Amino acid sequence: MDGEELTEQETALYDRQIRVWGADAQRRLSKSHILVCGMKGTVAEFCKNIVLAGVGSLTLMDDRVVTEEAWSANFLIPPDENVYGGKTIAEVCCDSLKDFNPMVRVSVEKGDLSSLDGEFYDKFDVVVVSCCSVTTKKLINEKCRKLSKRVAFYTVDCRDSCGEIFVDLQNHKYSKQKIEETIECQLQYPSFEEAISVPWRALPRKASKLYFALRGVFEEAEGRSPGEISIADLPAVLKLKKELCEANALNASHVTDSLLERLIIGTREFPPVCAVVGGILGQEVIKAISCKGEPLKNFFFFDVMDGKGVVEDVSNPKKESK
């Protein structure tokens, strides 16, 4: 992302943003290339935010056809079949996003994300995935890590009134302002597979209940299409919770049955939660690209029931110390 300066047109359009985070940060944004897979409501909010911020290009992947459920939480899809008839979700969202900022190149890529080789990912600076299995998340993250350049990797998922973001910036250097001086900092991130493999007993006692609950729900849903898990799966999820808690010496009462039931029943996204989580994701991606400001490490959870956003550092202490 080094090289070209901002054009006169970019400087004029992004004048207010440049006053906030500086010309260098805006230049980095305008030269960045973002890949997004899985166009649900939260991701739509994220895409809107980074397109308005002025990234260089945004590539969308989602070959699913538009349904009523798809547009219920995704404001980029007009509720008019004459507009989206015969188009994929990515194609419809692409058309809408182009109107937000004509200076950002928005395009669609078709195909299965997990089947693409490393050369494909090398074209991007940031990869964001949603609506996919745990296995796919691990695979994409690993492909990004094998590249010669650093590619920031994010996963985001929302179920009903809850949301989760995972971040892997690998070895990330950034600057932050402290009073009147600029401090250079560095963070080392674990991969997605490493993070979710950390034994629960090694986590703080006050770790977010959503972390444990979502691990159980996602594991039970593995191998299915997004949204296929239902209330009929509750007994299996409760059984899995008991097994995981026993294996990790965690009090089963820490993850309530009511929370698991809410996550299973609420397969649809809650638009206000999409706005919050999508906004946080946009903010984090901008920080990662610009290398300005302390990024979150490495999970973020939001639950509208308590109105709190919680950051959890889920890392293997032994691995981190090497």
Side-chain angles (χ1 to χ4, degrees):
M1 288 182 282
D2 295 328
E4 302 174 36
E5 296 299 319
L6 292 170
T7 65
E8 186 176 335
Q9 187 179 7
E10 288 173 326
T11 302
L13 180 62
Y14 304 126
D15 176 66
R16 292 186 180 183
Q17 295 172 190
I18 291 172
R19 296 183 192 205
V20 174
W21 52 53
D24 182 63
Q26 188 62 51
R27 180 186 62 81
R28 288 173 177 268
L29 279 173
S30 67
K31 310 307 174 190
S32 65
H33 305 288
I34 318 295
L35 172 66
V36 172
C37 180
M39 292 301 300
K40 295 190 75 174
T42 307
V43 176
E45 291 282 354
F46 161 72
C47 289
K48 175 258 295 180
N49 292 335
I50 60 168
V51 165
L52 290 175
V55 296
S57 71
L58 174 64
T59 302
L60 311 178
M61 293 187 72
D62 195 327
D63 293 340
R64 295 176 299 158
V65 295
V66 179
T67 62
E68 181 181 348
E69 182 179 350
W71 62 254
S72 64
N74 187 337
F75 68 92
L76 295 175
I77 304 175
D80 182 354
E81 191 172 351
N82 293 323
V83 176
Y84 65 73
K87 292 185 177 181
T88 65
I89 293 178
E91 289 170 335
V92 176
C93 290
C94 178
D95 292 340
S96 297
L97 286 166
K98 287 178 179 179
D99 294 332
F100 281 88
N101 188 347
M103 294 191 69
V104 176
R105 299 183 302 278
V106 186
S107 61
V108 172
E109 183 80 31
K110 293 190 176 183
D112 179 11
L113 187 66
S114 60
S115 66
L116 299 169
D117 58 21
E119 187 177 342
F120 172 78
Y121 296 98
D122 195 49
K123 299 182 293 185
F124 303 100
D125 303 297
V126 175
V127 173
V128 177
V129 299
S130 184
C131 314
C132 62
S133 68
V134 173
T135 299
T136 299
K137 292 174 183 177
K138 291 179 183 178
L139 178 63
I140 305 309
N141 188 201
E142 188 59 30
K143 288 183 178 182
C144 290
R145 280 182 154 256
K146 287 181 178 179
L147 298 173
S148 58
K149 72 172 188 178
R150 183 180 66 87
V151 175
F153 175 82
Y154 298 81
T155 72
V156 60
D157 288 285
C158 279
R159 297 184 70 86
D160 188 57
S161 57
C162 302
E164 173 190 87
I165 297 172
F166 167 78
V167 182
D168 176 17
L169 302 183
Q170 300 181 43
N171 185 17
H172 181 63
K173 297 177 181 179
Y174 64 98
S175 62
K176 66 178 181 180
Q177 203 71 24
K178 189 174 183 180
I179 307 177
E180 295 184 355
E181 63 175 328
T182 300
I183 302 174
E184 299 299 323
C185 308
Q186 185 171 336
L187 281 175
Q188 187 72 37
Y189 285 74
S191 68
F192 180 70
E193 183 168 13
E194 289 169 339
I196 64 173
S197 298
V198 173
W200 289 4
R201 66 177 72 88
L203 300 177
R205 290 186 177 182
K206 293 185 178 181
S208 172
K209 297 178 180 180
L210 271 176
Y211 174 78
F212 305 109
L214 286 169
R215 301 285 73 74
V217 171
F218 288 148
E219 188 166 327
E220 180 61 30
E222 187 68 5
R224 309 189 203 181
S225 298
E228 277 191 3
I229 193 168
S230 67
I231 190 62
D233 296 295
L234 182 60
V237 172
L238 295 178
K239 181 175 180 290
L240 179 60
K241 179 197 83 167
K242 182 180 178 182
E243 293 171 352
L244 289 172
C245 288
E246 289 177 352
N248 289 278
L250 180 74
N251 191 326
S253 63
H254 187 69
V255 186
T256 63
D257 293 355
S258 59
L259 174 58
L260 287 169
E261 184 174 350
R262 182 153 58 95
L263 290 171
I264 291 172
I265 293 176
T267 55
R268 291 195 177 193
E269 294 174 298
F270 190 38
V273 176
C274 294
V276 172
V277 178
I280 294 294
L281 180 58
Q283 169 186 293
E284 289 304 314
V285 168
I286 289 171
K287 285 194 288 185
I289 294 172
S290 65
C291 297
K292 294 190 70 174
E294 185 171 3
L296 69 81
K297 182 189 178 191
N298 52 343
F299 280 93
F300 172 81
F301 299 98
F302 179 77
D303 188 346
V304 77
M305 290 301 185
D306 55 23
K308 290 181 181 179
V310 180
V311 176
E312 295 285 0
D313 183 352
V314 183
S315 305
N316 188 326
K318 294 181 180 179
K319 185 94 174 176
E320 292 287 293
S321 63
K322 291 182 180 179

